[in-house]
Amino acid sequence: MGFCHSGLNVLIRRIARGPASVSCCSTTADRVAELESEGAYAVMAAASKVEQETGKKVARLEIGQPTFPTPQHIVQAGVRAIESGQTKYSSPSGVQSLKEAVAEHTTKTRGIKTRPEEVVIGPGAKPGLFLTTLALVNAGDEVMYPDPGFPTYKAMTLTAGATPVPVPLTRDGSSFEMASFEKLISPKTKLVVLNSPGNPTGGVMPQNDLERIAELAKQYDFWVMTDEIYSRLLYDIPRAPSIYSIPGMKERTILVDGFSKTYCMTGWRLGWAVMPQQLTNKVELLLTHSVGCTATFTQGAGVAALTGPEDDLLEMIEDYRSRRDLVVQGLNSIPGVTCPVPAGAFYAFFDVSSFGLTSREISTKLLQEGLVAVLPGTDFGANGEGFLRLSYASPRDQIEQGLERILSTLKTL
């Protein structure tokens, strides 16, 4: 028995909202009233439901998770750490050996001397985003972030009691629309969030835009948080520019990165943030009172990732490059679809506005009738309307099947 489109839309919205209140005793705080799940998790659950109901497999192109295994030398380092007894509490800000490896890696890749005392380790990169925002932002402050952009940026802003200020991107998704960005700056601007290479667009912010943002940060005295979780996943340039590398910006920048995407370690939950030492002390307190610490043995695996061979990484990047080219060529061959070439990450953000339906309506139709799961652009903000996101981190056979299904379904519109 199949779903109707309206029924599937209701399911996705219910999953995104979470369970409903059941009694007066389950009333929750205002700070979580506007929080929503990430759209990827909602669509993933809806796709599983379709598979259960229809008995047919869905081409799963909705989630940004590498299908490659964690490189073996990293796995072995984690196993050795467990076998050697590294299963106890660690320092809330991370073990010294990993902080040293992160500092050395950051110094090498960003060209700015970084000390271990300026590094905070967390269970994933999200604590570096979320907890640092809580340490910096007060109620009434404004936080600017990309729209379309990673949903956690809005969530962490709302939780901190601040005002979200979404900034539109250029049509190719590479950067802020700089004229709009400058108009949106106000005396209340406390934090500006960058994401390059970006999710959902795969765009890489050009050096001249970063330099202009740096000038404005100094002029208006705001912090910059640069989310560089996809920094190693690049296809057309050797390295993405980083605002952290611009002279005079280290003291007002938080650089967030991690292991999930580059080293295929999504389930290991390991990331880091680099920031001025006076701020690491505050974020460490938040780590202490929230997660306590990051698993010690995963940190041993992190050291191996940063200091070990990169053959697997380089092979993976070449594979992603091939998948990207397949996706871009396939999407642009569909009448009515336009897909810019993403320079990094593993997402294609393609324009389907010509079909006269909303992004959610089209993504629902693709799932229900085409058996292919992609995300509506509005899962990443209002400015994502008219776009869909496809993840080419999925296996190549699913990508090829998904492209065929997208073509056949959109032909009916």
Side-chain angles (χ1 to χ4, degrees), residues 56-67:
K56 298 178 181 179
K57 298 296 291 183
V58 171
R60 309 297 291 263
L61 307 179
E62 78 275 24
I63 196 77
Q65 174 161 257
T67 54

Side-chain angles (χ1 to χ4, degrees), residues 73-372:
H73 72 281
I74 300 174
V75 173
Q76 291 171 350
V79 171
R80 286 195 302 271
I82 293 173
E83 292 177 339
S84 66
Q86 296 180 42
T87 56
K88 310 298 184 183
Y89 290 130
S90 71
S91 167
S93 64
V95 300
Q96 185 66 18
S97 59
L98 182 55
K99 291 198 287 187
E100 289 174 355
V102 168
E104 183 176 346
H105 172 81
T106 304
T107 300
K108 178 181 177 181
T109 57
R110 275 71 172 192
I112 295 291
K113 177 63 178 176
T114 303
R115 298 178 295 110
E117 294 78 13
E118 298 165 329
V119 175
V120 174
I121 306 299
K126 281 184 178 178
L129 299 170
F130 215 102
L131 298 183
T132 308
T133 301
L134 293 181
L136 286 175
V137 174
N138 290 311
D141 288 339
E142 293 179 350
V143 177
M144 301 173 69
Y145 57 88
D147 181 348
F150 187 43
T152 292
Y153 305 148
K154 180 180 179 181
M156 66 196 194
T157 301
L158 291 170
T159 304
T163 301
V165 181
V167 182
L169 302 182
T170 54
R171 196 66 183 172
D172 65 358
S174 64
S175 186
F176 289 146
E177 289 182 0
M178 290 303 293
S180 298
F181 172 74
E182 296 199 29
K183 288 179 182 178
L184 288 169
I185 296 173
S186 82
K188 295 182 179 181
T189 302
K190 183 66 174 290
L191 177 65
V192 170
V193 182
L194 310 179
N195 181 209
S196 178
N199 176 16
T201 68
V204 173
M205 188 170 281
Q207 180 71 26
N208 60 324
D209 286 356
L210 292 174
E211 290 176 353
R212 179 57 181 155
I213 293 169
E215 291 175 2
L216 294 166
K218 297 170 186 175
Q219 178 181 344
Y220 290 96
D221 193 27
F222 56 74
W223 288 85
V224 175
M225 177 181 288
T226 177
D227 179 357
E228 300 183 6
I229 191 68
Y230 300 98
S231 62
R232 301 298 302 280
L233 302 182
L234 297 165
Y235 311 112
D236 304 315
I237 54 177
R239 185 166 295 168
S242 174
I243 199 166
Y244 182 79
S245 303
I246 295 176
M249 284 303 294
K250 177 183 176 181
E251 55 263 33
R252 63 172 67 248
T253 298
I254 302 97
L255 188 159
V256 180
D257 205 336
F259 297 84
S260 292
K261 314 299 184 179
T262 300
Y263 301 104
C264 308
M265 296 175 68
T266 52
W268 293 75
R269 307 314 303 139
L270 189 62
W272 73 81
V274 176
M275 62 193 74
Q277 186 174 352
Q278 68 269 25
L279 185 55
T280 67
N281 297 333
K282 302 301 182 182
V283 173
E284 182 175 9
L285 291 173
L286 290 170
L287 283 165
T288 300
H289 296 295
S290 56
V291 300
C293 64
T294 303
T296 307
F297 53 87
T298 65
Q299 296 185 67
V303 173
L306 291 178
T307 61
E310 294 194 335
D311 300 32
D312 292 310
L313 170 60
L314 297 176
E315 289 178 11
M316 181 180 70
I317 290 172
E318 285 306 309
D319 200 308
Y320 282 150
R321 187 199 310 274
S322 175
R323 297 187 203 183
R324 178 201 67 170
D325 294 345
L326 171 67
V327 165
V328 172
Q329 181 179 2
L331 290 173
N332 281 325
S333 70
I334 301 173
V337 172
T338 303
C339 181
V341 180
F346 37 54
Y347 307 112
F349 201 60
F350 56 105
D351 188 339
V352 291
S353 59
S354 67
F355 294 98
L357 299 174
T358 67
S359 296
R360 188 166 299 281
E361 288 170 338
I362 294 177
S363 66
T364 300
K365 190 175 184 71
L366 286 170
L367 179 56
Q368 170 66 26
E369 299 180 12
L371 296 178
V372 55

